[in-house]
Amino acid sequence: LRVNLKSLESGLSKPPDPAERDAQFRHIAKKSRGYAAQDLPVISVDTKSRELIGPFHQPGRRWSREPTQVFDHDFPSDAEGVAIPYGVYDPFRNHGFVSVGTTRDTSQFAVDAINTWWSQFGTRHYPRADRLLVLADCGGSNGYRTRLWKHQLQHAFSNRFGMQVSVSHYPPGSSKWNPIEHRMFSFISRNWAAEPLRNYNTVLNFIRSTKTLGGLRICARLNTKDYPKGTKISDQQMQQVNLRHHTARPKWNYSISPS
């Protein structure tokens, strides 16, 4: 018996050259080790799948005397709300933080999550750090083409904390190799498998109780702030971003320094 193998690239008009993709993976690995050797923070960030709040079906199986009753269809109109988990994962400390949003997954929401992680955990673990390395996917709220992502990193993080932010994106179609995916999000999904997310406390408790024998620990916080959709950043605003593209694969590697 065989299952389908997800190996065909889709949604890409021109997939990255394999040599270029391999070089980016090697660049990320080398840079991450360099930051860790200097006791500088490295974080992997991403948004987990959007979840409906209420008695909705959750994939997976769980031991119980009776099956859990859930809705026969996942209609958003039946939900009490939505949960949008944005994660920040420190691969060298094996520690994660998840900001559970209730409105929209925007770049402002993403950078707010990084701000909260740095204020509550980063400053404590890396008191002398003046640089931060962010590993991210190529799309979504932290995509390399997203102007608002760079603008928010400049004004809401770099200027606020006086830190240089270096960003390295995984090539398109490679998000599953982002450390947060297979070292944190996968264990959260396993922890709440077959368990309906009936309310926000249920979501937070499942995230906080996710642990592994390797020492994974996760903190979570509910973010009820309303994030507007469709915020545009003008050319003039982008000129205010202290952005420096790196020599190697500049579209995927760049730094933002305090103004």
Side-chain angles (χ1 to χ4, degrees):
L1 294 174
R2 296 281 186 179
V3 298
N4 296 165
L5 179 62
K6 291 185 177 181
S7 59
L8 302 178
E9 293 184 271
S10 59
L12 300 175
S13 57
K14 184 180 179 182
D17 179 70
E20 187 179 40
R21 177 178 300 188
D22 183 66
Q24 180 66 2
F25 271 90
R26 293 179 184 275
H27 171 78
I28 289 174
K30 181 179 179 180
K31 193 161 188 175
S32 298
R33 289 194 299 267
Y35 268 64
Q38 300 176 66
D39 197 29
L40 293 172
V42 178
I43 57 173
S44 169
V45 300
D46 196 14
T47 309
K48 199 179 186 303
S49 59
R50 176 189 180 106
E51 303 285 351
L52 295 176
I53 299 299
F56 294 94
H57 171 264
Q58 277 289 337
R61 296 185 294 177
R62 186 176 293 270
W63 291 103
S64 62
R65 293 185 179 275
E66 298 292 338
T68 302
Q69 301 292 322
V70 297
F71 288 140
D72 55 352
H73 288 83
D74 293 344
F75 291 128
S77 58
D78 292 331
E80 296 181 15
V82 295
I84 307 171
Y86 190 90
V88 180
Y89 175 67
D90 184 337
F92 294 101
R93 299 186 65 88
N94 201 17
H95 181 271
F97 168 73
V98 178
S99 177
V100 180
T102 60
T103 54
R104 300 172 187 84
D105 178 25
T106 69
S107 297
Q108 292 170 314
F109 170 57
V111 175
D112 277 354
I114 298 174
N115 287 350
T116 304
W117 168 82
W118 178 251
S119 299
Q120 295 188 3
F121 308 102
T123 52
R124 182 158 39 109
H125 297 152
Y126 306 96
R128 300 180 181 178
D130 59 352
R131 287 173 288 160
L132 170 68
L133 175 60
V134 178
L135 310 180
D137 296 344
C138 262
S141 57
N142 47 230
Y144 73 95
R145 290 192 182 99
T146 307
R147 286 187 170 192
L148 184 58
W149 161 250
K150 298 181 177 73
H151 182 269
Q152 286 296 298
L153 282 178
Q154 175 73 74
H155 296 282
F157 186 86
S158 182
N159 290 352
R160 177 181 175 184
F161 298 108
M163 292 185 65
Q164 182 192 76
V165 183
S166 184
V167 184
S168 289
H169 292 272
Y170 284 89
S174 306
S175 61
K176 67 178 71 175
W177 282 279
N178 195 352
I180 194 172
E181 293 285 353
H182 55 269
R183 295 185 62 180
M184 191 176 88
F185 282 163
S186 61
F187 295 108
I188 294 175
S189 297
R190 184 182 300 179
N191 195 32
W192 68 34
E195 289 283 358
L197 305 177
R198 300 184 183 277
N199 51 57
Y200 287 109
N201 282 334
T202 302
V203 175
L204 295 173
N205 288 336
F206 273 122
I207 294 174
R208 291 166 179 163
S209 62
T210 300
K211 296 178 174 61
T212 66
L213 294 177
L216 174 66
R217 295 295 182 271
I218 308 174
C219 297
R221 177 180 174 182
L222 188 66
N223 183 351
T224 58
K225 182 178 177 181
D226 186 15
Y227 291 94
K229 184 180 180 180
T231 302
K232 302 293 184 182
I233 300 300
S234 65
D235 292 341
Q236 184 178 2
Q237 288 175 302
M238 279 303 297
Q239 291 175 2
Q240 298 173 3
V241 178
N242 193 6
L243 177 67
R244 181 180 68 85
H245 289 280
H246 297 180
T247 304
R249 294 163 299 283
K251 62 181 179 180
W252 295 338
N253 301 290
Y254 51 86
S255 297
I256 296 174
S257 302
S259 297

